[in-house]
Amino acid sequence: MSAFTPSSRAMLLAKSWDFAAKLYTRELAPRFLPWMHGALEVLQRNAGSLPPGRLVLVPCCGPGLEMSLISRCLGHGHPLLGVDLSQGMVDIANRLAQEAERTAGAAAGTAAGDSTLPTIGQSADGDRPTPPPGLIRAVVGDASSLHVEHEGQAAAVVSFFGLQQLGPAAPAALLSWVRCLAPGGIAIVVLWPSHVEDSGPWRQYDRAVQRLQQQQQQQQQGTSPAAQHEQCSSTNTGNGAPPLTEWERSLVEVVMQGVEDAVLLSDEMVQHDMQWPDVDTFWEVMTQGGPWHARRLSFGNAYMETLKALFVAGLAQEAGLGTGQQELLVGQHHPGTASGGSKSKTQEQMGVRDPAAAAARSQLQPAPATASIIRPLIHTPRARQIVIKRGLSSAHARL
């Protein structure tokens, strides 16, 4: 989608996320909780030095899973405003905020009132008060230029997994977010980099997209089928990481040059395990309720079926499976029961796993003896976490 203009990109993303909102909230957002919790621990350690009572902005808030957690972390002492381009996402975010108000923050931020969800932000004295009515709200809007209305007003800007969708406009958006901070304010931004995994489903998806693009180009140029196969096969081997995009390389630099009193506290990669019952479930959630749905809208279902075949073949090759064994990767689960059909998900089922276990397991579990046994998919995505403080030296901040 790199050829899209900013306005056409925004229209496509809004349409895609409106469609995907419910499935994303149910299946993907809970799997992102380990990254959210790590970032919000940083926010909580810095809560005492934030400008009191000021606004907290949550750009690209999606369904707002994190908004009640942010409020709880800050003792419900700051109004929160989420901004997202998708009406469907904003509707869910406001509903969850209202539910949090009614339940005094217990299991706040869940899509289904799941009390097994781990909580953060509890003080030594126990639960904090219920957020006042209207303290947390979300609106439809352009999250890329928030400084136009909120320059110098915010105690914090917290954003999860939205910035990368702005593509080349991301550095300017991050600059806008930091400009929103009042002196002493903090920005904590977590985003998916262009290279999420060295191996596993995200990596194989990128390779499948590249391979299909090459096939289409070769067909237009009249390349022979044998040459197509040889060239595409070479594309799908090896683990060389693709180079970072220009906007990723300049992301922090643009902010440091644009805001004189900005202090970069950290810029690091954070990894956590994520688990799925099978590859079919992963594919359906990502392409119907996740970031890959925009490609489905752009290119159609037939294109996505071809892409899936390349994707599964790549995963099978990575796992050392032969062509006849690819069915070991997929099962009969559906996105509505992606965690085994249980309404009460455990932390492990939602991907909240011990990161130390990542080094002790393969990307896919050992192949079962029979194709009738579904193969679980476990992978370890890495996200980029950027923390920037404004108006104070790094000595006043806690990481």
Side-chain angles (χ1 to χ4, degrees):
M1 293 184 292
S2 58
F4 282 55
T5 65
S7 60
S8 62
R9 175 190 289 269
M11 290 177 63
L12 174 65
L13 291 175
K15 183 178 180 180
S16 177
W17 286 118
D18 280 347
F19 176 90
K22 291 182 180 180
L23 183 57
Y24 176 92
T25 304
R26 186 171 67 245
E27 293 296 340
L28 263 182
R31 288 181 163 90
F32 297 161
L33 279 168
W35 288 273
M36 291 182 183
H37 284 195
L40 294 184
E41 287 173 1
V42 175
L43 178 65
Q44 190 172 29
R45 287 195 292 271
N46 285 273
S49 64
L50 298 182
R54 286 189 177 251
L55 179 68
V56 172
L57 291 169
V58 187
C60 307
C61 66
L65 187 74
E66 69 275 26
M67 292 178 67
S68 293
L69 295 176
I70 293 170
S71 184
R72 187 174 180 81
C73 221
L74 299 177
H76 303 307
H78 298 261
L80 265 73
L81 178 64
V83 182
D84 200 277
L85 50 73
S86 165
Q87 183 68 61
M89 290 291 193
V90 166
D91 289 344
I92 294 174
N94 283 321
R95 176 175 60 81
L96 292 180
Q98 293 169 3
E99 290 178 2
E101 292 171 3
R102 291 195 299 267
T103 59
T110 69
D114 183 357
S115 61
T116 67
L117 198 66
T119 59
I120 67 170
Q122 290 185 345
S123 68
D125 298 328
D127 290 349
R128 288 180 167 139
T130 306
L135 185 75
I136 304 170
R137 64 188 182 94
V139 297
V140 175
D142 179 6
S144 67
S145 55
L146 294 179
H147 71 283
V148 174
E149 294 186 20
H150 302 289
E151 185 154 16
Q153 299 178 9
V157 175
V158 184
S159 182
F160 294 101
F161 303 121
L163 185 61
Q164 75 281 345
Q165 293 197 72
L166 301 178
L174 182 58
L175 173 60
S176 174
W177 299 353
V178 174
R179 287 178 61 180
C180 290
L181 295 175
I186 194 169
I188 304 174
V189 179
V190 181
L191 66 147
W192 296 119
S194 57
H195 184 59
V196 176
E197 296 175 331
D198 294 324
S199 60
W202 242 297
R203 185 75 173 107
Q204 291 304 328
Y205 175 80
D206 291 340
R207 287 178 174 165
V209 169
Q210 182 184 15
R211 188 175 178 185
L212 187 52
Q213 288 173 341
Q214 289 183 340
Q215 286 181 353
Q216 292 172 333
Q217 292 171 359
Q218 290 159 359
Q219 288 170 357
Q220 292 173 357
Q221 297 168 359
T223 308
S224 68
Q228 289 180 29
H229 177 74
E230 181 179 352
Q231 293 176 21
C232 291
S233 295
S234 64
T235 300
N236 203 45
T237 58
N239 283 317
L244 292 177
T245 62
E246 177 61 33
W247 69 260
E248 286 178 289
R249 291 194 296 270
S250 65
L251 194 56
V252 171
E253 180 183 356
V254 167
V255 175
M256 295 298 106
Q257 292 177 351
V259 180
E260 184 177 355
D261 60 349
V263 178
L264 177 65
L265 301 184
S266 66
D267 183 0
E268 60 184 337
M269 293 294 182
V270 180
Q271 293 181 268
H272 292 286
D273 276 8
M274 193 178 290
Q275 180 171 337
W276 305 83
D278 53 69
V279 173
D280 264 348
T281 301
F282 172 85
W283 179 264
E284 290 304 312
V285 171
M286 292 294 286
T287 64
Q288 298 284 3
W292 302 346
H293 181 257
R295 183 172 293 274
R296 185 180 291 276
L297 281 182
S298 297
F299 296 98
N301 291 331
Y303 171 95
M304 294 302 290
E305 286 304 308
T306 303
L307 189 63
K308 181 182 180 181
L310 295 172
F311 166 78
V312 173
L315 272 179
Q317 181 181 10
E318 183 178 274
L321 299 177
T323 304
Q325 295 178 297
Q326 291 184 16
E327 67 271 17
L328 295 177
L329 294 171
V330 299
Q332 300 303 316
H333 287 261
H334 299 285
T337 57
S339 295
S342 171
K343 292 183 179 179
S344 179
K345 301 181 180 70
T346 66
Q347 292 186 28
E348 180 173 348
Q349 285 173 324
M350 293 197 305
V352 186
R353 297 166 54 84
D354 180 4
R361 57 96 185 98
S362 61
Q363 298 299 328
L364 290 167
Q365 296 299 304
T370 171
S372 64
I373 300 176
I374 295 173
R375 226 177 135 83
L377 173 65
I378 304 173
H379 58 119
T380 310
R382 57 173 164 253
R384 184 178 179 182
Q385 178 177 291
I386 300 171
V387 182
I388 298 173
K389 191 92 169 177
R390 186 169 184 188
L392 296 174
S393 70
S394 59
H396 293 87
R398 297 179 180 179
L399 289 176

